[in-house]
Amino acid sequence: MKAGHMNDRKNDKSTGITTADCIYRISSKFKLKPEEIRKIYKLDQFNITRVFMTEEGSFDTKTGKYTSKNIPGNGKVCIQYFNDQAKSLYLTLQKIPTNEGMPEASSTLYELIEKSIGFFEKAQRASKRLFFQRLFNRHKILCLSYIKDLNSVFEKSHHHRDTDEVALSNTIFVLQKKGRFYVMEKAIRLEEKLLEQIEKMLESVNKNDKRQTLLEFKSNLIQHLQELKSIHNSVLLH
């Protein structure tokens, strides 16, 4: 995170950000909890200078430093403010949980879902037959729905990143050259990895709502895998 040079900044509220504006900016991307809103209002006596937000990575609670990793205890939102001694301080919100819920494992699951979505999108665009276009699009939509369900129980705000069009066009050409067998086999491997990750998480997650979501995810994935494997072994590929 690059906060710029602030050594000469005084505690002048006329140059800062109001608490109301700070809440508005954050609320445009994250759903603030009541206790987080109260923490922001407590900063009203100070000079709020910057608001940093990220969907990927996190901010250190003491230094406000950004890292590309989702580190438990860090936050997704970082507010920089100055006290009466013009000392730079930081308030981090939307903290990544460190307790039960396996934040690192769920982050890995999100990464695997993202890979699957990206691949199904490329496979759909590379396919010349309507049957396979619909197949890959259906699996892409299902993976997108997983993100929504996981967000609700793991208290995350993950959003799917749009695929870069240049990278997409290059991959489409490669997939068309490698052929349908290769595409189907990779699609199966991706969903098998998702299933393996869910199995790992189920070994440690105890809360009913999380387990139920993961079990439903697992059940759907098993059906999707059976569909892909059935098509892979059928005459449709010949």
Side-chain angles (χ1 to χ4, degrees):
M1 178 183 68
K2 296 181 179 179
H5 298 286
M6 301 258 182
N7 295 336
D8 298 326
R9 185 183 292 275
K10 302 298 182 182
N11 192 17
D12 179 9
K13 286 194 174 185
S14 64
T15 64
I17 302 168
T18 65
T19 51
D21 186 43
C22 185
I23 292 170
Y24 175 78
R25 292 186 191 187
I26 298 169
S27 298
S28 66
K29 280 194 173 184
F30 295 93
K31 184 177 180 180
L32 287 168
K33 299 174 183 177
E35 59 268 27
E36 291 179 318
I37 294 175
R38 287 193 289 270
K39 286 180 180 179
I40 296 174
Y41 275 121
K42 287 182 180 179
L43 299 182
D44 195 51
Q45 60 184 308
F46 304 114
N47 181 28
I48 301 173
T49 54
R50 300 280 185 92
V51 179
F52 302 94
M53 293 178 280
T54 184
E55 292 176 356
E56 298 178 22
S58 59
F59 299 100
D60 185 88
T61 55
K62 293 183 179 179
T63 65
K65 185 177 179 181
Y66 171 78
T67 174
S68 59
K69 297 180 180 179
N70 288 317
I71 299 176
N74 278 10
K76 292 288 184 178
V77 176
C78 178
I79 301 172
Q80 182 186 41
Y81 64 98
F82 285 78
N83 62 13
D84 294 334
Q85 288 75 44
K87 180 180 178 181
S88 178
L89 301 170
Y90 301 92
L91 171 65
T92 56
L93 306 171
Q94 298 289 300
K95 290 187 178 180
I96 300 169
T98 56
N99 56 358
E100 190 267 347
M102 298 187 67
E104 287 303 316
S106 64
S107 296
T108 301
L109 182 57
Y110 277 103
E111 291 172 6
L112 291 172
I113 294 174
E114 281 288 348
K115 287 182 181 179
S116 297
I117 293 171
F119 180 77
F120 285 131
E121 183 176 359
K122 294 165 188 172
Q124 177 194 354
R125 297 273 288 271
S127 300
K128 295 180 180 179
R129 290 176 59 181
L130 184 60
F131 173 86
F132 288 100
Q133 291 173 5
R134 289 176 175 172
L135 172 71
F136 295 132
N137 184 56
R138 184 166 67 255
H139 281 254
K140 179 183 75 173
I141 292 172
L142 287 168
C143 284
L144 285 168
S145 72
Y146 296 153
I147 290 178
K148 181 180 178 181
D149 292 339
L150 290 170
N151 279 347
S152 65
V153 295
F154 284 94
E155 298 181 354
K156 288 179 175 282
S157 55
H158 184 89
H159 297 282
H160 169 60
R161 304 183 300 274
D162 292 333
T163 307
D164 179 79
E165 283 296 322
V166 175
L168 184 61
S169 60
N170 292 336
T171 307
I172 288 172
F173 177 73
V174 172
L175 292 180
Q176 287 174 339
K177 286 189 68 177
K178 290 193 173 184
R180 200 172 293 142
F181 271 107
Y182 170 84
V183 173
M184 290 297 295
E185 287 173 356
K186 184 164 183 179
I188 290 170
R189 286 199 301 273
L190 283 169
E191 292 202 345
E192 285 177 338
K193 287 182 180 179
L194 279 173
L195 193 57
E196 289 173 5
Q197 185 63 20
I198 291 171
E199 293 282 10
K200 289 179 182 178
M201 293 177 69
L202 282 169
E203 292 175 1
S204 302
V205 172
N206 296 317
K207 286 191 176 180
N208 289 335
D209 57 343
K210 291 181 172 64
R211 283 193 65 82
Q212 185 60 35
T213 297
L214 290 172
L215 286 170
E216 289 175 2
F217 193 170
K218 175 183 174 180
S219 177
N220 289 333
L221 262 178
I222 290 172
Q223 293 180 34
H224 304 158
L225 266 167
Q226 288 174 344
E227 178 186 36
L228 290 177
K229 290 178 178 179
S230 176
I231 294 170
H232 183 262
N233 296 326
S234 74
V235 294
L236 288 171
L237 292 173
H238 297 281

